[in-house]
Coordinates of all heavy atoms in Angstrom, one line a residue:
M1 N 18.7 -5.1 15.3 CA 18.5 -4.5 14.0 C 17.1 -5.0 13.5 O 16.9 -6.2 13.4 CB 19.6 -4.9 13.1 CG 19.5 -4.4 11.7 SD 21.0 -4.7 10.8 CE 20.3 -5.3 9.2
S2 N 16.3 -4.1 13.0 CA 15.0 -4.6 12.5 C 15.0 -4.7 11.0 O 15.8 -4.0 10.3 CB 13.9 -3.6 12.9 OG 14.3 -2.3 12.7
V3 N 14.2 -5.6 10.5 CA 14.1 -5.8 9.0 C 13.0 -5.0 8.4 O 11.9 -4.9 8.9 CB 13.8 -7.3 8.8 CG1 13.7 -7.6 7.3 CG2 14.9 -8.2 9.4
T4 N 13.3 -4.3 7.3 CA 12.3 -3.6 6.6 C 11.2 -4.4 6.1 O 11.5 -5.5 5.5 CB 13.0 -2.8 5.5 OG1 14.0 -1.9 6.0 CG2 12.0 -1.9 4.7
V5 N 10.0 -4.0 6.3 CA 8.8 -4.7 5.8 C 8.4 -4.0 4.5 O 8.1 -2.8 4.5 CB 7.7 -4.7 6.9 CG1 6.4 -5.4 6.3 CG2 8.2 -5.4 8.1
L6 N 8.2 -4.8 3.5 CA 7.7 -4.3 2.2 C 6.2 -4.4 2.1 O 5.6 -5.4 2.4 CB 8.2 -5.1 1.0 CG 9.8 -5.1 0.9 CD1 10.3 -6.0 -0.2 CD2 10.4 -3.7 0.8
V7 N 5.6 -3.2 1.8 CA 4.1 -3.2 1.6 C 3.8 -3.3 0.1 O 4.2 -2.5 -0.7 CB 3.5 -1.8 2.1 CG1 2.0 -1.8 1.9 CG2 3.8 -1.6 3.6
K8 N 3.3 -4.5 -0.2 CA 3.0 -4.8 -1.6 C 1.5 -4.7 -2.0 O 0.7 -4.8 -1.1 CB 3.5 -6.2 -1.9 CG 5.0 -6.4 -1.7 CD 5.5 -7.8 -2.0 CE 7.0 -8.0 -1.7 NZ 7.4 -9.3 -2.1
L9 N 1.3 -4.5 -3.3 CA -0.1 -4.4 -3.7 C -0.7 -5.8 -3.6 O -0.2 -6.8 -4.1 CB -0.1 -4.0 -5.2 CG -1.6 -3.8 -5.7 CD1 -2.0 -2.4 -5.5 CD2 -1.7 -4.1 -7.2
P10 N -1.8 -5.9 -2.8 CA -2.4 -7.2 -2.5 C -3.3 -7.7 -3.7 O -3.8 -6.9 -4.5 CB -3.2 -7.0 -1.3 CG -3.7 -5.5 -1.4 CD -2.5 -4.9 -2.1
K11 N -3.5 -9.0 -3.7 CA -4.4 -9.6 -4.7 C -5.8 -9.7 -3.9 O -5.9 -10.6 -3.1 CB -3.9 -10.9 -5.2 CG -4.8 -11.5 -6.2 CD -4.1 -12.7 -6.9 CE -4.9 -13.2 -8.1 NZ -4.2 -14.2 -8.8
L12 N -6.7 -8.9 -4.3 CA -8.0 -8.9 -3.6 C -9.0 -9.8 -4.1 O -10.0 -10.2 -3.5 CB -8.6 -7.5 -3.6 CG -7.8 -6.4 -2.9 CD1 -8.5 -5.0 -3.0 CD2 -7.5 -6.8 -1.5
G13 N -8.8 -10.3 -5.4 CA -9.7 -11.2 -6.0 C -9.0 -12.3 -6.8 O -7.8 -12.1 -7.2
L14 N -9.6 -13.3 -7.1 CA -9.0 -14.4 -7.8 C -8.4 -14.0 -9.2 O -7.3 -14.5 -9.5 CB -10.1 -15.5 -8.1 CG -9.6 -16.9 -8.5 CD1 -8.7 -17.4 -7.4 CD2 -10.8 -17.8 -8.6
T15 N -9.1 -13.1 -9.9 CA -8.5 -12.7 -11.2 C -7.8 -11.3 -11.2 O -7.4 -10.9 -12.2 CB -9.7 -12.6 -12.2 OG1 -10.7 -11.7 -11.8 CG2 -10.4 -14.0 -12.4
M16 N -7.7 -10.7 -10.0 CA -7.1 -9.4 -10.0 C -5.6 -9.5 -10.4 O -4.9 -10.4 -9.9 CB -7.2 -8.8 -8.6 CG -6.6 -7.5 -8.4 SD -6.8 -6.9 -6.7 CE -5.5 -5.6 -6.7
Q17 N -5.2 -8.6 -11.3 CA -3.8 -8.6 -11.7 C -3.1 -7.2 -11.5 O -1.9 -7.1 -11.4 CB -3.7 -8.9 -13.2 CG -4.1 -10.3 -13.5 CD -3.9 -10.7 -14.9 OE1 -3.4 -10.0 -15.7 NE2 -4.4 -11.9 -15.3
E18 N -4.0 -6.2 -11.3 CA -3.4 -4.8 -11.1 C -4.4 -4.0 -10.3 O -5.6 -4.3 -10.2 CB -3.1 -4.1 -12.4 CG -4.3 -3.7 -13.3 CD -3.9 -3.0 -14.5 OE1 -2.7 -3.0 -14.9 OE2 -4.8 -2.4 -15.1
G19 N -4.0 -2.9 -9.8 CA -4.8 -2.0 -9.1 C -4.2 -0.6 -9.1 O -3.0 -0.4 -9.4
E20 N -5.0 0.4 -8.7 CA -4.5 1.8 -8.7 C -4.4 2.3 -7.3 O -5.2 2.1 -6.5 CB -5.6 2.7 -9.5 CG -5.1 4.1 -9.5 CD -6.1 5.0 -10.2 OE1 -7.1 4.5 -10.8 OE2 -5.9 6.2 -10.2
L21 N -3.2 2.9 -7.1 CA -3.0 3.6 -5.8 C -3.7 4.9 -5.9 O -3.2 5.9 -6.5 CB -1.5 3.8 -5.6 CG -1.0 4.6 -4.4 CD1 -1.7 4.0 -3.1 CD2 0.4 4.6 -4.2
V22 N -4.9 4.9 -5.3 CA -5.8 6.1 -5.5 C -5.3 7.2 -4.7 O -5.2 8.4 -5.1 CB -7.3 5.8 -5.1 CG1 -8.1 7.0 -5.1 CG2 -7.8 4.6 -6.0
D23 N -5.0 7.0 -3.4 CA -4.5 8.0 -2.5 C -3.8 7.4 -1.3 O -4.2 6.4 -0.8 CB -5.7 8.9 -2.0 CG -5.3 10.2 -1.4 OD1 -4.2 10.6 -1.6 OD2 -6.1 10.8 -0.7
W24 N -2.8 8.1 -0.8 CA -2.1 7.8 0.5 C -2.9 8.4 1.6 O -3.4 9.5 1.5 CB -0.7 8.3 0.5 CG 0.3 7.5 -0.3 CD1 0.9 8.0 -1.5 CD2 0.8 6.2 -0.1 NE1 1.7 7.0 -1.9 CE2 1.6 5.9 -1.1 CE3 0.5 5.3 1.0 CZ2 2.3 4.7 -1.1 CZ3 1.2 4.1 0.9 CH2 2.1 3.8 -0.1
L25 N -3.1 7.6 2.7 CA -3.8 8.1 3.9 C -2.8 8.5 5.0 O -3.3 8.9 6.0 CB -4.8 7.0 4.4 CG -5.8 6.5 3.3 CD1 -6.6 5.4 3.9 CD2 -6.7 7.7 2.8
V26 N -1.5 8.4 4.7 CA -0.4 8.7 5.6 C 0.6 9.5 4.7 O 0.5 9.5 3.5 CB 0.2 7.5 6.3 CG1 -0.8 6.8 7.2 CG2 0.8 6.6 5.2
S27 N 1.5 10.2 5.4 CA 2.6 10.9 4.7 C 3.9 10.2 4.9 O 4.1 9.4 5.8 CB 2.7 12.3 5.3 OG 1.5 13.0 5.1
D28 N 4.8 10.4 3.9 CA 6.2 9.8 4.0 C 6.8 10.2 5.3 O 6.8 11.4 5.7 CB 7.0 10.4 2.9 CG 8.3 9.6 2.6 OD1 8.2 8.3 2.6 OD2 9.3 10.2 2.5
G29 N 7.4 9.2 6.1 CA 8.1 9.5 7.3 C 7.2 9.4 8.5 O 7.6 9.5 9.7
D30 N 5.8 9.2 8.3 CA 4.9 9.0 9.5 C 5.2 7.8 10.2 O 5.7 6.8 9.7 CB 3.5 9.0 9.0 CG 2.9 10.3 8.6 OD1 3.6 11.3 8.8 OD2 1.7 10.4 8.2
T31 N 4.9 7.9 11.5 CA 4.8 6.7 12.4 C 3.5 6.1 12.2 O 2.5 6.7 12.4 CB 5.1 7.0 13.9 OG1 6.4 7.6 13.9 CG2 5.0 5.8 14.7
V32 N 3.4 4.8 11.8 CA 2.1 4.1 11.6 C 1.9 2.9 12.6 O 2.9 2.4 13.1 CB 2.0 3.6 10.1 CG1 2.0 4.8 9.2 CG2 3.2 2.7 9.8
E33 N 0.7 2.6 12.8 CA 0.4 1.5 13.7 C -0.1 0.3 12.9 O -0.7 0.5 11.8 CB -0.7 1.9 14.7 CG -0.3 3.0 15.6 CD 0.9 2.7 16.5 OE1 0.9 1.5 16.9 OE2 1.7 3.5 16.8
A34 N 0.1 -0.9 13.3 CA -0.5 -2.1 12.7 C -2.0 -2.0 12.7 O -2.6 -1.6 13.6 CB -0.1 -3.4 13.4
G35 N -2.6 -2.3 11.5 CA -4.0 -2.2 11.3 C -4.6 -0.8 10.9 O -5.7 -0.7 10.6
Q36 N -3.7 0.2 10.9 CA -4.0 1.6 10.5 C -4.2 1.6 9.0 O -3.3 1.1 8.3 CB -3.0 2.5 11.0 CG -3.2 3.9 10.5 CD -2.0 4.9 10.9 OE1 -1.2 4.5 11.7 NE2 -2.0 6.0 10.3
P37 N -5.3 2.2 8.5 CA -5.4 2.3 7.0 C -4.2 3.2 6.5 O -4.1 4.3 7.1 CB -6.8 3.0 6.8 CG -7.5 2.6 8.0 CD -6.5 2.6 9.1
I38 N -3.6 2.8 5.4 CA -2.4 3.6 4.9 C -2.6 4.1 3.5 O -2.0 5.1 3.1 CB -1.1 2.9 5.1 CG1 -1.1 1.5 4.5 CG2 -0.7 2.8 6.6 CD1 0.3 0.8 4.4
Y39 N -3.4 3.3 2.7 CA -3.7 3.9 1.4 C -5.0 3.3 0.9 O -5.6 2.3 1.4 CB -2.6 3.5 0.4 CG -2.3 2.1 0.0 CD1 -3.0 1.6 -1.1 CD2 -1.5 1.3 0.7 CE1 -2.7 0.2 -1.5 CE2 -1.3 -0.1 0.4 CZ -1.9 -0.6 -0.7 OH -1.7 -1.9 -1.1
L40 N -5.5 4.0 -0.2 CA -6.8 3.6 -0.8 C -6.4 2.9 -2.1 O -5.7 3.5 -3.0 CB -7.6 4.8 -1.1 CG -9.1 4.6 -1.6 CD1 -9.9 3.7 -0.6 CD2 -9.7 5.9 -1.8
L41 N -6.9 1.7 -2.3 CA -6.6 0.9 -3.5 C -7.9 0.8 -4.3 O -8.9 0.5 -3.8 CB -6.2 -0.5 -3.1 CG -6.1 -1.5 -4.2 CD1 -4.9 -1.2 -5.2 CD2 -5.8 -2.9 -3.7
G42 N -7.7 1.1 -5.6 CA -8.9 1.0 -6.5 C -8.7 -0.1 -7.5 O -7.6 -0.3 -8.1
T43 N -9.7 -0.8 -7.8 CA -9.7 -1.8 -8.8 C -10.9 -1.5 -9.8 O -11.6 -0.6 -9.5 CB -9.9 -3.3 -8.3 OG1 -11.2 -3.4 -7.7 CG2 -8.8 -3.6 -7.2
D44 N -11.1 -2.4 -10.8 CA -12.3 -2.1 -11.6 C -13.6 -2.4 -11.0 O -14.6 -2.0 -11.4 CB -12.1 -3.0 -12.9 CG -12.0 -4.5 -12.6 OD1 -11.8 -4.8 -11.4 OD2 -12.2 -5.3 -13.5
K45 N -13.6 -3.0 -9.8 CA -14.8 -3.3 -9.1 C -15.0 -2.5 -7.8 O -16.1 -2.2 -7.4 CB -14.9 -4.8 -8.8 CG -14.9 -5.6 -10.0 CD -14.9 -7.1 -9.7 CE -15.0 -7.9 -11.0 NZ -15.0 -9.3 -10.8
V46 N -13.9 -2.2 -7.0 CA -14.1 -1.6 -5.7 C -12.9 -0.6 -5.4 O -11.9 -0.6 -6.1 CB -14.1 -2.7 -4.6 CG1 -15.2 -3.6 -4.7 CG2 -12.8 -3.4 -4.5
E47 N -13.2 0.2 -4.4 CA -12.1 1.0 -3.8 C -12.1 0.5 -2.3 O -13.1 0.3 -1.7 CB -12.4 2.5 -3.8 CG -12.0 3.1 -5.2 CD -12.0 4.6 -5.1 OE1 -12.3 5.2 -4.1 OE2 -11.7 5.2 -6.2
Q48 N -10.8 0.2 -1.8 CA -10.7 -0.4 -0.5 C -9.5 0.2 0.2 O -8.5 0.4 -0.4 CB -10.5 -1.9 -0.6 CG -10.4 -2.5 0.8 CD -10.4 -4.1 0.7 OE1 -10.9 -4.6 -0.3 NE2 -9.9 -4.8 1.6
E49 N -9.7 0.5 1.5 CA -8.6 1.0 2.4 C -7.7 -0.3 2.7 O -8.2 -1.3 3.1 CB -9.1 1.6 3.6 CG -9.7 3.0 3.4 CD -10.1 3.6 4.7 OE1 -10.1 3.0 5.8 OE2 -10.4 4.8 4.7
I50 N -6.4 -0.1 2.6 CA -5.5 -1.2 2.9 C -4.8 -0.8 4.2 O -4.3 0.3 4.3 CB -4.5 -1.4 1.7 CG1 -5.2 -1.7 0.4 CG2 -3.5 -2.5 2.1 CD1 -6.1 -2.9 0.4
E51 N -4.7 -1.8 5.1 CA -4.2 -1.6 6.4 C -2.7 -1.9 6.5 O -2.2 -2.7 5.7 CB -4.9 -2.4 7.4 CG -6.4 -2.0 7.6 CD -7.1 -2.9 8.6 OE1 -6.5 -3.9 9.1 OE2 -8.3 -2.6 8.9
C52 N -2.0 -1.2 7.4 CA -0.6 -1.4 7.6 C -0.4 -2.7 8.3 O -1.1 -3.1 9.3 CB -0.1 -0.3 8.6 SG 1.6 -0.2 8.8
P53 N 0.6 -3.5 7.9 CA 0.9 -4.9 8.5 C 1.6 -4.8 9.8 O 1.5 -5.7 10.6 CB 1.7 -5.6 7.4 CG 2.4 -4.4 6.7 CD 1.4 -3.3 6.7
V54 N 2.4 -3.8 10.0 CA 3.2 -3.7 11.2 C 3.3 -2.2 11.7 O 3.1 -1.3 10.9 CB 4.7 -4.2 11.1 CG1 4.6 -5.7 10.8 CG2 5.4 -3.5 10.0
A55 N 3.7 -2.0 12.9 CA 3.9 -0.6 13.4 C 5.3 -0.2 13.1 O 6.3 -1.1 13.0 CB 3.7 -0.6 14.9
G56 N 5.5 1.1 12.8 CA 6.9 1.5 12.4 C 6.8 2.9 11.7 O 5.8 3.6 11.8
T57 N 7.9 3.2 11.0 CA 8.0 4.4 10.2 C 7.9 4.0 8.7 O 8.6 3.1 8.3 CB 9.4 5.1 10.5 OG1 9.5 5.3 11.9 CG2 9.4 6.4 9.7
I58 N 7.0 4.7 8.1 CA 6.7 4.4 6.7 C 7.5 5.3 5.7 O 7.6 6.5 5.9 CB 5.2 4.4 6.4 CG1 4.9 3.7 5.1 CG2 4.6 5.8 6.4 CD1 3.4 3.4 4.9
Q59 N 8.0 4.6 4.6 CA 8.6 5.3 3.5 C 7.7 5.0 2.3 O 7.6 3.9 1.9 CB 10.0 4.9 3.3 CG 10.7 5.5 2.1 CD 12.0 4.8 1.7 OE1 12.5 3.9 2.4 NE2 12.6 5.3 0.6
L60 N 7.1 6.0 1.7 CA 6.3 5.9 0.6 C 7.1 5.7 -0.7 O 8.0 6.4 -1.0 CB 5.3 7.1 0.4 CG 4.5 7.5 1.6 CD1 3.5 8.6 1.3 CD2 3.7 6.3 2.2
V61 N 6.7 4.7 -1.5 CA 7.5 4.4 -2.8 C 6.5 4.6 -4.0 O 6.9 5.3 -4.9 CB 8.0 2.9 -2.8 CG1 8.6 2.6 -4.1 CG2 8.9 2.7 -1.6
G62 N 5.3 4.2 -3.9 CA 4.4 4.3 -5.0 C 3.8 5.7 -5.1 O 3.7 6.5 -4.1
E63 N 3.4 6.1 -6.3 CA 2.8 7.4 -6.6 C 1.3 7.2 -6.8 O 0.8 6.3 -7.4 CB 3.4 8.0 -7.8 CG 4.9 8.3 -7.7 CD 5.5 9.0 -8.9 OE1 4.7 9.6 -9.7 OE2 6.7 9.0 -9.0
T64 N 0.5 8.2 -6.3 CA -0.9 8.2 -6.4 C -1.3 8.3 -7.9 O -0.6 8.8 -8.7 CB -1.6 9.3 -5.6 OG1 -1.1 10.5 -6.0 CG2 -1.3 9.1 -4.1
E65 N -2.5 7.8 -8.1 CA -3.2 7.8 -9.4 C -2.3 7.1 -10.5 O -2.2 7.4 -11.6 CB -3.4 9.3 -9.9 CG -4.3 10.0 -9.0 CD -4.6 11.4 -9.4 OE1 -4.1 11.9 -10.5 OE2 -5.3 12.1 -8.7
T66 N -1.6 6.0 -10.0 CA -0.8 5.2 -10.8 C -1.2 3.7 -10.6 O -1.5 3.3 -9.5 CB 0.7 5.3 -10.4 OG1 1.1 6.7 -10.5 CG2 1.6 4.5 -11.3
K67 N -1.2 3.0 -11.7 CA -1.6 1.5 -11.6 C -0.4 0.7 -11.4 O 0.7 1.0 -12.0 CB -2.3 1.1 -12.9 CG -3.7 1.6 -13.0 CD -4.5 1.0 -14.1 CE -5.9 1.5 -14.1 NZ -6.8 0.9 -15.0
Y68 N -0.5 -0.3 -10.6 CA 0.6 -1.2 -10.2 C 0.1 -2.7 -10.4 O -1.1 -2.9 -10.3 CB 1.1 -1.0 -8.8 CG 1.7 0.3 -8.6 CD1 1.0 1.4 -8.2 CD2 3.1 0.5 -8.9 CE1 1.6 2.7 -8.0 CE2 3.7 1.7 -8.7 CZ 3.0 2.8 -8.3 OH 3.6 4.0 -8.2
Q69 N 1.1 -3.6 -10.6 CA 0.8 -5.0 -10.7 C 0.7 -5.6 -9.3 O 1.4 -5.1 -8.4 CB 1.8 -5.7 -11.5 CG 1.9 -5.2 -12.9 CD 0.7 -5.5 -13.7 OE1 0.2 -6.6 -13.8 NE2 0.2 -4.4 -14.4
V70 N -0.1 -6.6 -9.1 CA -0.1 -7.4 -7.8 C 1.3 -7.7 -7.4 O 2.1 -8.2 -8.3 CB -1.0 -8.6 -7.9 CG1 -0.8 -9.5 -6.7 CG2 -2.5 -8.2 -8.1
G71 N 1.7 -7.5 -6.2 CA 3.0 -7.8 -5.7 C 4.1 -6.6 -5.9 O 5.1 -6.7 -5.3
D72 N 3.7 -5.6 -6.6 CA 4.6 -4.4 -6.7 C 4.7 -3.8 -5.3 O 3.8 -3.7 -4.5 CB 4.1 -3.4 -7.7 CG 4.3 -3.8 -9.1 OD1 5.0 -4.8 -9.4 OD2 3.8 -3.1 -10.0
V73 N 5.9 -3.2 -5.0 CA 6.1 -2.6 -3.7 C 5.7 -1.2 -3.7 O 6.0 -0.4 -4.6 CB 7.7 -2.6 -3.3 CG1 7.9 -1.8 -2.1 CG2 8.2 -4.1 -3.2
L74 N 4.8 -0.8 -2.8 CA 4.2 0.5 -2.7 C 4.8 1.4 -1.5 O 4.8 2.6 -1.6 CB 2.7 0.4 -2.5 CG 1.9 -0.3 -3.6 CD1 0.5 -0.3 -3.3 CD2 2.2 0.3 -5.0
A75 N 5.3 0.7 -0.5 CA 5.9 1.4 0.6 C 6.8 0.4 1.3 O 6.8 -0.8 1.1 CB 4.8 1.9 1.6
K76 N 7.7 1.0 2.2 CA 8.6 0.3 3.1 C 8.4 0.7 4.5 O 8.2 2.0 4.7 CB 10.0 0.5 2.7 CG 10.4 0.0 1.3 CD 11.8 0.3 0.9 CE 12.1 -0.1 -0.6 NZ 13.4 0.3 -1.0
I77 N 8.3 -0.2 5.4 CA 8.2 0.2 6.8 C 9.3 -0.3 7.7 O 9.7 -1.5 7.6 CB 6.9 -0.4 7.4 CG1 5.7 0.1 6.6 CG2 6.7 -0.1 8.9 CD1 4.4 -0.5 6.9
T78 N 9.9 0.5 8.4 CA 10.9 0.2 9.4 C 10.2 0.0 10.7 O 9.7 0.9 11.3 CB 12.0 1.2 9.5 OG1 12.6 1.5 8.2 CG2 13.1 0.8 10.5
P79 N 10.2 -1.3 11.2 CA 9.4 -1.6 12.4 C 9.9 -0.8 13.6 O 11.1 -0.5 13.7 CB 9.6 -3.1 12.6 CG 9.9 -3.6 11.2 CD 10.7 -2.5 10.6
A80 N 9.0 -0.5 14.5 CA 9.3 0.3 15.7 C 10.1 -0.6 16.7 O 9.9 -1.8 16.7 CB 8.1 0.9 16.3

């Protein structure tokens, strides 16, 4: 039995507290690979592609064009 991996909004800078989920680069239910870009994160300073931490099947939780706090869950991955 595999453990679900939570994809959380990362803290990209020392003072970062929130970020915007600009766009998903994958679809709900897709099979994803570790290191594959899965979403575009926007902050007041940059936009950055965020990579998948593990291979598996992704379930999207977060909605695009929405701001989230650091640590909020944006997706869940069931490892392959």
